[in-house]
Amino acid sequence: MTGDGMSNTSRRRFLKATGAAALTATVAGCSDSTSDADGSGGSEPTDTPTTTGESTDYQPDFDKYPYGIDETKVAEARKVMEEAGYGPDNKYELNWLQYQSPTWKEMANTIRARLEQAHIEMTINDANFSSLLETTKQGEHEAFTLGWVADYPRPRNFMQLVQPDNTVYGGETAANGARLYWKEDANSDPGVREFMTEQYERLVSNPGQSEDAIQTRKDAATNMEEGIWESAALIPVYHNLAQSFWYDRLDYNPPGAMDSSKQKTNNAVAGIDGKDRLSGISSTFNSLDPVASGNTASGAKVMDLFDAPTNYKNGRTEISNLLITDYETNDDLSEYTLTLKEGVQFHGDYGEMTADDVVYSIRRLAESTNSTNQSFAISTLAIEHEVDENGAVKRATGVEAVDDYTVRLTLESPFPYALDVLTYGAFSVVPEGIVGDIEGYEGDMPYPEFSASNPVGTGPFTFVEWDSGNGGSYSADAFEDYHDGAPAIDGIDDAIISDDTARYNYFLNENADSTGIPTSKYDPSLHSSGETLPGGRKLGTYGPMENDKTVNSSSVSTIDTYYVGFNMTKVPKPVRKAMAYVINREQFVSDVFKGRGVGAFHLQPPQLFSDGQEGYNNHYQGE
C-alpha cells in the first residue's frame, strides 16, 4: 500500500472507473443479468518457455478447451514433458496436497498413475481444511486442491482468484485469491501475467449497467478464462451438486444455489413433529467469531448466532435486507449510506444495535489481528483505510456513523456489489467494544471467551455450549426477541463428527433430523427426483436405506468451482499442462463423485457465465 492507504492497483482501478462514461447509481441485483462474461477463441496453446524478461504482447487464441474434453490424453502429457527435457532418467517430483477426503484421494491416485507415464512422480499428502489453507497461504506447496463457493454471485468474485497480484500472500495487500503465487518471476510467460492483470482491471473498472460496460465485463472475464487455459495455472475440475436429506418429521425448506453456508436455520426449519429442538451433525470448526470464521461449519454457526447487514435468504441468490431497511449510493458507486433497522436487540444485556456497533464490527474485520477475513473489507470492498509503516491496516477510515441509525461506507474505488458482499458472515454485527482487539477499546471480555464460549450477536439463536473437536457437541437456543420473529423451534443440538462412516451411521440411527450423505456412502440408484422448486432446487427421495427408511432429498447446482492449483514459482508450466491433459472430468464426476456435479472447464460456474449454461458450453466446446 502507498502512504495514503491506496495500492497502485487500487489507484489504477479508481482512475479508470472515475474516467469511464455513463456510470449509473444502480446496484445490480442477483438475476439472470449476473452473467458478466462472453467471448470466443482459437487453437491449441503453444508451450511458452519460462522467462523473466520484458513482457510480450499476448492475446488468447483458442477454438475450444485445449487439453481434451472428457478425454484422458496421456500421450500428449508425455509429449509436453519430453519436449521440456524430462524423461525416464529425468523425472519431475511433484508434491500434491489435498483435502482429507476419500473421493479426492481416489481421484489423486488415478492422476498419479497417469502422470507416471508422463515422467512425473507425484507424492500425495492430505491435510484438514484449516491446515491446507495455512500451508498454501504460506506458499509451502506445489499442487493443491481447493474449491471456491461464491461469496456473491458475480464473475468478479471468481476471477479475483487468478488476478496475479491477488494470488501472492504475505505482501502489502490482503490477498483473496487462489494460492498461485503468480509473481513476475513465476514459471509463466510475463505477457500472460500482464494480460490477466489488464483484463481484471477491465472487469472491475467498468461497474455501470450500460451496454458497453456490461459487454466489457463479459469480454474481460472470458479472456481471463482463456488466460487460465494458456497458463495452466489452475485447472477447474467440477461444479458441485449439493444435496440435503431429511426425515419426514422435519418441515424443511432446502437451500438454494448459494448453499447452506448462507442459510439461517430459522428460515429453513418451520417445525419438527414430536420434538422442539433440531438435531444435526457438524464438522469440526475453529471459531465462533465472525471475523475469524474459517470454514463452512463455523460459518453455519455464525449465520445462526449473528446477523450481517444483508442476507441471501435461505441460500437463494436474491439479496434481502436484514439489519438495514434502505441504502443510497453516489453516482460512481464508491459510497454507500446504509439505513439501519431500529429496535434490533443483541443477546444478553447488550441492548439495541446502533450505528456505532456496525462501525466497530467492520473496523474489527479490517483491523483486528484476530481477523482472518480481512480481505473482504480491504480487498473486495476496498474500504478506505490507513496503513502503518509495514503496510498493515491501521484504521478503516471509510466506515463512519452518520447518526444512531445511519452508517456510511466510503470505498477506494467504485464497486457495484457492496450489498452482495455485506451478506457475508464476516460483516456480522457485534456489540461495540465487546473485545479489545482494535485501537480505542479495552474490551468487555477476553477474546478467547468471546470466540469460544460467549459469542454475542443479534442472530436468531443464542449460544449455549461448544465442546470442541471430534466427538464434541454444539448447542444454541432460540432468541425469543429476534427482530425478524422468534424461530419456530426451541434450539439446535449438533454432534461434532468428522468420520464419514460415523456421520452416516448417526443419521441412519435417526439421531439427526437432516444431513448431507458422504459421497463414499451415497448410492445414486437410491435417489429419485421429483418437483422442481424456485431457485433450481429439485425435490426427491432417497432410499430405502439400510434402516429401511426412505428420506426426503433436495438437489441444487451450487455456484462453486473445485479445482487443482499450482504454486507457479515452483511448478514448471509443462508439468501443469501434463496435469491438465490427464484430468478426465466426465470420468471423475461419474465414477468418483457419483454424479454429484458436472465437469468444470471454466473457473466461472455456468450460472455466471455469459449467456448462462449455453454460453458456457459453447465456449469450451468451440461451438
Side-chain angles (χ1 to χ4, degrees), residues 280-281 494-495 497 501-512:
I281 304 172
D494 283 349
I497 306 173
T501 298
R503 292 169 69 93
Y504 182 59
N505 288 337
Y506 194 83
F507 182 61
L508 279 181
N509 292 330
E510 299 194 49
N511 293 315

Side-chain angles (χ1 to χ4, degrees), residues 81-308:
M81 289 294 289
E82 290 175 350
E83 288 176 347
Y86 296 95
D89 299 322
N90 180 29
K91 296 183 178 182
Y92 184 85
E93 296 182 1
L94 179 66
N95 185 19
W96 166 290
L97 179 65
Q98 65 165 47
Y99 305 107
Q100 287 180 332
S101 161
T103 48
W104 279 91
K105 187 66 171 288
E106 180 181 350
M107 189 180 75
N109 282 324
T110 301
I111 290 173
R112 177 171 58 185
R114 294 170 181 173
L115 290 178
E116 285 178 356
Q117 302 174 63
H119 316 304
I120 298 173
E121 292 184 348
M122 189 172 94
T123 301
I124 301 172
N125 297 287
D126 59 17
N128 62 47
F129 189 61
S130 296
S131 298
L132 186 148
L133 289 180
E134 186 60 27
T135 298
T136 54
K137 183 177 180 179
Q138 299 302 320
E140 300 169 355
H141 65 289
E142 291 188 353
F144 64 101
T145 66
L146 269 179
W148 188 262
V149 180
D151 297 310
Y152 57 99
R154 308 289 178 173
R156 175 172 173 171
N157 185 235
F158 284 81
M159 304 321 295
Q160 67 179 336
L161 300 182
V162 290
Q163 196 279 331
D165 290 338
N166 206 30
T167 72
V168 182
Y169 291 72
E172 293 182 348
T173 57
N176 193 21
R179 278 76 159 154
L180 305 181
Y181 285 83
W182 201 333
K183 301 179 181 180
E184 292 182 358
D185 61 348
N187 292 311
S188 176
D189 178 358
V192 179
R193 184 186 192 282
E194 181 178 330
F195 174 80
M196 295 292 281
T197 299
E198 290 173 350
Q199 297 306 310
Y200 187 71
E201 291 198 7
R202 291 180 69 212
L203 179 64
V204 303
S205 298
N206 292 276
Q209 294 303 301
S210 68
E211 290 184 8
D212 286 346
I214 293 172
Q215 189 60 49
T216 297
R217 295 197 299 271
K218 290 179 178 181
D219 292 342
T222 302
N223 285 342
M224 290 187 75
E225 294 283 4
E226 298 192 7
I228 295 172
W229 292 354
E230 170 62 37
S231 65
L234 178 151
I235 304 171
V237 177
Y238 77 102
H239 306 297
N240 189 43
L241 179 72
Q243 293 182 309
S244 303
F245 303 88
W246 65 97
Y247 287 100
D248 281 340
R249 61 179 178 264
L250 182 65
D251 188 352
Y252 184 63
N253 185 11
M258 298 299 288
D259 202 13
S260 57
S261 62
K262 300 293 191 293
Q263 181 187 52
K264 288 179 174 288
T265 301
N266 62 307
N267 293 327
V269 176
I272 315 171
D273 289 343
K275 54 189 297 194
D276 299 320
R277 299 178 67 88
L278 178 70
S279 301
I281 304 172
S282 173
S283 300
T284 58
F285 54 96
N286 62 332
S287 176
L288 294 171
D289 178 6
V291 306
S293 169
N295 59 28
T296 302
S298 58
K301 308 299 182 289
V302 167
M303 277 286 145
D304 282 339
L305 298 175
F306 300 89
D307 287 334

Side-chain angles (χ1 to χ4, degrees), residues 8-32:
N8 290 332
T9 300
S10 296
R11 188 182 302 279
R12 289 196 301 271
R13 293 176 192 165
F14 178 79
L15 291 174
K16 286 188 176 185
T18 53
L23 293 181
T24 74
T26 349
V27 175
C30 298
S31 64
D32 291 341

Side-chain angles (χ1 to χ4, degrees), residues 450-596:
F450 172 74
S451 65
S453 62
N454 193 17
V456 178
T458 67
F461 293 88
T462 62
F463 176 82
V464 174
E465 185 180 26
W466 173 27
D467 178 14
S468 64
N470 185 41
S473 61
Y474 166 86
S475 295
D477 287 343
F479 183 35
E480 296 301 324
D481 294 326
Y482 186 54
H483 62 93
D484 203 28
I489 55 175
D490 290 347
I492 302 168
D493 301 305
D494 283 349
I496 300 176
I497 306 173
S498 297
D499 180 73
D500 281 354
T501 298
R503 292 169 69 93
Y504 182 59
N505 288 337
Y506 194 83
F507 182 61
L508 279 181
N509 292 330
E510 299 194 49
N511 293 315
D513 300 308
S514 66
T515 192
I517 294 178
T519 299
S520 60
K521 301 297 180 181
Y522 177 70
D523 183 350
S525 69
L526 299 182
H527 187 262
S528 62
S529 295
E531 177 187 3
T532 299
L533 300 178
R537 300 168 296 169
K538 292 186 178 180
L539 292 180
T541 59
Y542 183 81
M545 301 183 296
E546 290 91 324
N547 61 0
D548 294 326
K549 296 291 182 68
T550 295
V551 294
N552 303 293
S553 73
S554 172
S555 304
V556 63
S557 296
T558 44
I559 305 176
D560 55 31
T561 304
Y562 291 83
Y563 58 84
V564 176
F566 300 92
N567 184 331
M568 294 174 67
T569 64
K570 296 181 179 180
V571 182
K573 182 179 177 182
V575 177
R576 306 195 304 261
K577 292 179 66 175
M579 178 76 75
Y581 277 123
V582 303
I583 288 180
N584 186 325
R585 293 159 178 81
E586 181 181 42
Q587 180 189 50
F588 288 144
V589 170
S590 174
D591 297 348
V592 177
F593 299 107
K594 299 183 179 179
R596 304 170 97 177

